[in-house]
Amino acid sequence: MEVEGEKAMEVAEDVGHAYGDWFKRYMRLFCRRFLEWFLVYLFGYYNVSFGWLMAPLFFLVLRDKRAKEKQTKFDIIRSIANADEKDILQEIQRFSNLPSWVTFPDMERVEWLNKIIRQLWPYAGHYVQDLCKFSIEPSMRVAFEEYKLNGFKFEKIILGDTPPRFSGVKVYDDTSRHEIIMDMDFAYAGDCKFEVSVSKFKMGIKDLQISGRMRVMMKPLVRQIPLVGGLQVFFLNNPDVDFNLIGLADVFDMPGLSDILRSIVIEQIAHMMVLPNRYPIQLVQDIDIAELKCPSPAGVLRINVIEAHNLMKKDVGIMGMGKSDPYCILRLGAQKFQTKTINNTINPKWDYYCEALANVIRRQHVTIECWDYDYSPLKSYENDDFLGRANLDVHDIWKSGEVDMWVPLSDAKSGRIHVRASWLDLSDSAGSLELQLEEIRALQTTTKNPLHSAVLMVWVDSAKKLNSIPDPFVRLHVGNTQQETTVRQRTNDPVFEEGFTFLVRNPRTQELKIEVIDHKTSLVQGKIELDLNVFLKERNMEVKNEEYSLSGASGGLASLKLTLTLRILKTALKKDDGDGGPKEKGVPVKPERKASQPAVVESVEEVMSSAASPLMHMAPPTLKIEDSELRQRTNAAGIHGIGRIELTVKYGPRNNLVVVVHQITNLQVEDDGELPDPYVKLYLLPDRSKDSKRKTDVIKDSCNPKYDERFEYSIPPNELTRRTLEVNIINKKGLLFLQRSPKMGQVLLDCGLLDSDKVTQWYDIAPAMDEDDE
């Protein structure tokens, strides 16, 4: 009886708590509705303008809608971050077949990693607090000062019980033997809570969400425990970040003001660990700390955003004939560039150049976003209308040397953008400088954007014998670019161990200016001015661990220890197919070859090899032909004599099939001698709907048209083997004259047999097998 009595008391207590919670929610809702109707009554009683009533109501509706969207997104990310990966995959298997590379043993191995992190998470609190107080807080303080908000400070840091989660781990097996490279998907949707103060106002952040593709590089490998000298941890591209605001900031949790706070948080994450920034962890003492913390970039991307066509109309005009005011934002990791705004057009021409440091080649991409400018006092692009997005794979640019193509905009109803991008290698030969300067002079005739001919890498190691126990930091200048080290507290002999990379316009005429400054007093402790022209004469154009005297320092004993490396930009040639394998036979690789010059096949064996490709549409078998006759037929017009087409076809990491139509050679002239107006039309069979159709521009009066247009299909891996890419060559003039067939030929590619080592190939155009409705 006593046990039953206790159970009854517990049930009654639970019911009481539930009723109490319900009553509190009801009273809050009642008070809110009463206040809203009372305000409406006051507005009517005092004959206040209706606009003053609508403005706050619009604010509340917009804020509630935004809160619901954020909560839905947060619930999805939290369920993914906290669920067991094996359970997720089992649910997916109920609806579709998983790709062959996903196995449950692999998932179990990843789950072991997450279990270890879950065990270690309670002990990470002190480390995170130190990271926030000593690394993040100073940079956040500077960022808020740009918005006239001073005194940023972390008041409370609660890490919570939910750890981050890792999945989709990939370890590369074709890297240097002195390193291990591992990619993984990072997802955090925890219960952490941060309380901060800004300008004496209290605010906070909760429900923080971070997700993105993370890379861990273990290098160098050493012969002593722990066998790894250090770690480099970074995001390849900007991660997705979201959070909810508490305290005073909750009032501003609406589009515009909250976007400013969000952009500051994203910038700080990018500054810490989004390429080219890395978070280094030294595990062994006797290693090259400069190579760990600031490795040399792999190269430089020179990007030319030329124009866009048929963008969406976002500005409403008279009789609905509106246009847009488009501009573009380009991102490569943490690097960001922006074109100028072209007013009142959907076909803008920018001809904008920018150059970005590329630190890795694989799995990174250039993102180009188009926006319609709308004036706002908050000066945030998030207030503008989105017009679409395009992505360029860094590996494709590196492999081709240069790409020049039209890319359709995703997440948009219409629009495409014309982009040219080239890869620049880093050369340690001063003789390469003049050639690069000549290329820049030729480009500067068409653009006012500054272009660069060299890269300067500066490693700031340490300083000695500074004056009066300062809080020193180092400021570096090259041209208009300025970078700074972090502040070292109360020391005459600071150790910085920080690296910086500068793009240099002309090392013959520019110089590096360095100042050591006391953060407390803003007084310059000493400075150095170095002429970059001197480094052109040094061996390998570098100086290692050189101690430079600081001019202007009292006593004349202060010095700064530096390592400086200069590299000349050199236009890259097309890389071998297969990342180092032999070049594809029969395919022209010289970039200067014009479309009118035929791609000559060198031998019968090459033709037979090309004709036997499983990716190409096969003609019916024929009788044996003499070599001389075969040579005559297998010329640059293909084995069928009606032309060849150059395509890039590959399946990307974002579950998208990428197709680039480069050019066609030796199409047939009409019977009356008239030149065709060819264009290329694609279908992803068996689907022949409007959603599957893609079309290039029409090139008038040409048998050797060049397109360089890019198209994408979103397709899951398990469906790839069921799809066939149909490439049709259409003569637009044939559509005007019913007596002519508009289809000039076609190529069929089995998507299940795509060769990842040969993504760009020439294909012989075969006679059309059907006549689909145009």
Side-chain angles (χ1 to χ4, degrees):
M1 293 293 293
E2 293 180 1
V3 174
E4 293 179 357
E6 291 178 358
K7 290 183 177 180
M9 290 292 293
E10 290 178 359
V11 171
E13 201 171 312
D14 292 340
V15 171
H17 285 309
Y19 178 79
D21 292 341
W22 172 84
F23 182 76
K24 290 178 181 178
R25 289 195 301 269
Y26 178 80
M27 288 302 298
R28 281 198 298 265
L29 181 62
F30 172 79
C31 293
R32 182 177 176 181
R33 292 290 182 263
F34 177 80
L35 179 61
E36 291 174 356
W37 285 108
F38 183 70
L39 288 174
V40 172
Y41 169 78
L42 289 179
F43 272 77
Y45 183 80
Y46 289 103
N47 295 321
V48 180
S49 171
F50 186 69
W52 287 100
L53 175 63
M54 290 303 298
L57 290 179
F58 177 76
F59 173 86
L60 292 174
V61 170
L62 189 63
R63 184 173 178 273
D64 289 344
K65 180 182 178 182
R66 182 180 178 84
K68 291 178 181 178
E69 291 176 350
K70 287 178 61 177
Q71 187 61 42
T72 302
K73 179 182 177 182
F74 178 77
D75 291 340
I76 294 173
I77 295 178
R78 171 172 281 182
S79 63
I80 294 174
N82 297 333
D84 184 84
E85 189 164 1
K86 187 173 179 179
D87 294 339
I88 295 174
L89 293 176
Q90 286 175 339
E91 288 296 319
I92 296 175
Q93 271 197 329
R94 294 174 54 190
F95 302 99
S96 61
N97 295 323
L98 288 171
S100 59
W101 48 267
V102 177
T103 62
F104 287 121
D106 291 336
M107 297 303 104
E108 291 171 359
R109 285 193 286 271
V110 175
E111 199 57 36
W112 272 109
L113 174 62
N114 289 314
K115 288 180 180 178
I116 293 173
I117 295 173
R118 196 175 300 120
Q119 288 290 105
L120 295 174
W121 189 245
Y123 301 94
H126 292 294
Y127 175 76
V128 173
Q129 287 186 5
D130 290 342
L131 181 67
C132 291
K133 295 293 288 186
F134 300 114
S135 296
I136 299 178
E137 184 177 292
S139 56
M140 290 284 285
R141 187 180 298 117
V142 173
F144 272 100
E145 286 174 354
E146 295 181 2
Y147 296 93
K148 309 301 181 184
L149 299 172
N150 301 316
F152 176 88
K153 181 181 179 182
F154 281 103
E155 298 290 345
K156 184 184 293 186
I157 300 171
I158 301 174
L159 198 57
D161 300 323
T162 306
R165 182 176 181 82
F166 297 92
S167 61
V169 176
K170 174 181 175 61
V171 180
Y172 293 93
D173 56 3
D174 54 351
T175 61
S176 167
R177 65 178 182 174
H178 302 295
E179 65 181 9
I180 298 173
I181 299 178
M182 181 168 58
D183 287 353
M184 61 188 75
D185 290 321
F186 174 91
Y188 176 74
D191 51 351
C192 66
K193 183 178 179 181
F194 299 90
E195 294 183 3
V196 301
S197 60
V198 181
S199 297
K200 299 181 180 181
F201 294 105
K202 297 289 183 70
M203 63 182 67
I205 292 174
K206 67 174 183 177
D207 298 337
L208 177 64
Q209 310 164 33
I210 304 175
S211 60
R213 190 69 174 172
M214 178 179 286
R215 175 166 293 180
V216 178
M217 297 184 68
M218 306 177 189
K219 59 183 296 187
L221 304 183
V222 297
R223 298 181 183 276
Q224 63 194 70
I225 298 299
L227 303 179
V228 177
L231 303 177
Q232 296 175 0
V233 183
F234 52 87
F235 288 102
L236 294 168
N237 301 287
N238 278 313
D240 295 326
V241 179
D242 205 351
F243 48 81
N244 289 321
L245 301 173
I246 56 177
L248 178 66
D250 188 32
V251 178
F252 302 112
D253 193 12
M254 61 167 292
L257 294 175
S258 65
D259 290 330
I260 294 176
L261 182 59
R262 184 168 292 101
S263 65
I264 292 176
V265 174
I266 293 174
E267 285 175 5
Q268 297 312 308
I269 294 176
H271 179 72
M272 285 184 58
M273 52 187 306
V274 177
L275 280 180
N277 306 305
R278 309 170 188 235
Y279 189 75
I281 303 173
Q282 185 177 358
L283 302 178
V284 175
Q285 291 298 320
D286 298 330
I287 62 172
D288 186 352
I289 189 65
E291 181 62 25
L292 174 67
K293 291 188 174 182
C294 186
S296 301
V300 171
L301 284 176
R302 181 173 290 161
I303 306 169
N304 180 202
V305 182
I306 303 172
E307 58 185 323
H309 178 69
N310 195 27
L311 297 177
M312 292 188 295
K313 300 176 181 179
K314 289 293 184 177
D315 295 338
V316 178
I318 300 175
M319 300 178 64
M321 301 297 290
K323 293 188 178 181
S324 293
D325 304 320
Y327 67 93
C328 290
I329 292 178
L330 295 83
R331 287 188 175 90
L332 179 63
Q335 301 170 88
K336 177 182 173 182
F337 309 91
Q338 182 171 330
T339 70
K340 63 180 180 180
T341 301
I342 308 297
N343 293 324
N344 199 32
T345 180
I346 59 173
N347 300 301
K349 296 182 183 295
W350 294 287
D351 199 21
Y352 171 79
Y353 278 89
C354 64
E355 291 165 326
L357 295 169
N359 289 76
V360 299
I361 296 173
R362 295 176 177 172
R363 308 282 288 189
Q364 197 177 25
H365 56 264
V366 179
T367 300
I368 305 173
E369 295 178 340
C370 288
W371 296 85
D372 169 42
Y373 174 77
D374 292 321
Y375 172 76
S376 170
L378 297 174
K379 298 182 181 180
S380 172
Y381 71 89
E382 298 285 357
N383 301 304
D384 297 338
D385 295 319
F386 184 61
L387 298 177
R389 177 185 294 107
N391 293 294
L392 299 178
D393 194 317
V394 172
H395 183 267
D396 289 347
I397 303 171
W398 169 83
K399 189 173 182 179
S400 301
E402 181 178 276
V403 296
D404 186 345
M405 64 182 67
W406 283 89
V407 185
L409 295 175
S410 58
D411 302 325
K413 294 181 180 179
S414 64
R416 56 182 185 150
I417 188 167
H418 186 192
V419 183
R420 182 186 298 116
S422 56
W423 179 270
L424 303 174
D425 288 324
L426 304 185
S427 171
D428 59 1
S429 172
S432 304
L433 177 59
E434 187 57 39
L435 180 61
Q436 185 60 219
L437 290 174
E438 289 179 1
E439 293 184 15
I440 291 175
R441 293 186 193 105
L443 293 173
Q444 295 283 200
T445 59
T446 61
T447 180
K448 296 181 180 179
N449 304 118
L451 299 177
H452 303 86
S453 63
V455 171
L456 176 67
M457 291 161 279
V458 183
W459 174 255
V460 182
D461 185 86
S462 58
K464 291 182 180 179
K465 300 180 180 179
L466 300 179
N467 300 320
S468 66
I469 313 181
D471 292 343
F473 69 95
V474 179
R475 180 177 293 160
L476 304 94
H477 302 261
V478 174
N480 295 325
T481 304
Q482 173 182 300
Q483 300 190 59
E484 298 176 352
T485 68
T486 55
V487 178
R488 298 294 185 262
Q489 301 292 331
R490 307 294 294 171
T491 176
N492 294 88
D493 303 306
V495 176
F496 297 101
E497 291 185 341
E498 296 184 43
F500 304 90
T501 304
F502 295 89
L503 288 170
V504 180
R505 298 195 66 180
N506 188 349
R508 292 175 178 169
T509 59
Q510 288 190 272
E511 61 182 7
L512 169 65
K513 296 180 180 180
I514 303 175
E515 297 174 317
V516 180
I517 303 173
D518 182 3
H519 184 259
K520 291 185 301 182
T521 63
S522 299
L523 295 177
V524 177
Q525 293 278 312
K527 59 184 179 180
I528 302 170
E529 294 185 0
L530 299 174
D531 189 349
L532 298 185
N533 187 44
V534 175
F535 298 104
L536 294 172
K537 304 172 185 177
E538 295 286 347
R539 184 179 179 183
N540 294 328
M541 296 191 296
E542 63 182 356
V543 175
K544 291 187 175 182
N545 298 321
E546 184 78 14
E547 291 199 5
Y548 293 90
S549 297
L550 291 170
S551 63
S554 61
L557 299 177
S559 63
L560 187 65
K561 189 176 182 180
L562 303 172
T563 293
L564 301 107
T565 303
L566 186 66
R567 291 291 179 262
I568 306 302
L569 299 184
K570 184 178 180 180
T571 303
L573 300 177
K574 183 175 181 180
K575 305 294 189 299
D576 294 343
D577 291 324
D579 295 348
K583 289 185 174 66
E584 181 187 354
K585 296 180 179 179
V587 179
V589 297
K590 295 182 179 179
E592 64 269 14
R593 183 179 60 81
K594 297 180 180 179
S596 59
Q597 295 175 317
V600 180
V601 179
E602 298 292 341
S603 66
V604 178
E605 288 79 12
E606 292 173 7
V607 173
M608 297 303 293
S609 174
S610 176
S613 172
L615 302 180
M616 188 173 58
H617 173 75
M618 298 297 295
T622 58
L623 298 176
K624 182 178 179 180
I625 305 173
E626 296 296 332
D627 283 353
S628 59
E629 184 180 352
L630 182 59
R631 286 180 182 274
Q632 184 177 0
R633 289 182 54 189
T634 56
N635 55 14
I639 60 174
H640 302 288
I642 56 178
R644 306 184 81 207
I645 184 170
E646 185 184 21
L647 302 172
T648 292
V649 185
K650 69 171 186 175
Y651 189 68
R654 295 182 293 113
N655 293 345
N656 60 331
L657 182 68
V658 179
V659 183
V660 182
V661 181
H662 294 288
Q663 59 182 317
I664 304 175
T665 60
N666 293 282
L667 290 176
Q668 291 182 313
V669 180
E670 297 293 339
D671 294 338
D672 57 3
E674 190 172 13
L675 295 175
D677 293 346
Y679 68 92
V680 178
K681 182 174 67 175
L682 308 174
Y683 283 110
L684 193 58
L685 304 179
D687 185 9
R688 284 189 178 274
S689 67
K690 182 179 179 181
D691 293 335
S692 173
K693 184 168 68 173
R694 308 283 192 273
K695 294 168 63 175
T696 69
D697 281 342
V698 177
I699 305 298
K700 292 185 176 297
D701 298 326
S702 177
C703 292
N704 300 284
K706 288 193 69 173
Y707 302 97
D708 286 327
E709 295 189 41
R710 172 184 170 126
F711 305 94
E712 292 188 13
Y713 292 95
S714 179
I715 175 174
N718 57 295
E719 291 188 16
L720 197 62
T721 57
R722 309 172 193 169
R723 297 302 186 101
T724 299
L725 180 67
E726 182 183 83
V727 183
N728 299 292
I729 295 86
I730 311 295
N731 180 12
K732 189 173 183 180
K733 288 180 180 177
L735 300 174
L736 304 176
F737 302 96
L738 298 179
Q739 66 271 21
R740 299 179 184 175
S741 173
K743 186 176 288 189
M744 305 182 70
Q746 68 178 190
V747 173
L748 298 177
L749 304 181
D750 187 340
C751 296
L753 299 175
L754 294 178
D755 188 347
S756 60
D757 291 332
K758 294 183 178 181
V759 296
T760 303
Q761 297 192 58
W762 284 85
Y763 299 95
D764 292 334
I765 300 172
M769 298 180 63
D770 59 356
E771 295 291 337
D772 59 287
D773 187 15
E774 293 297 322

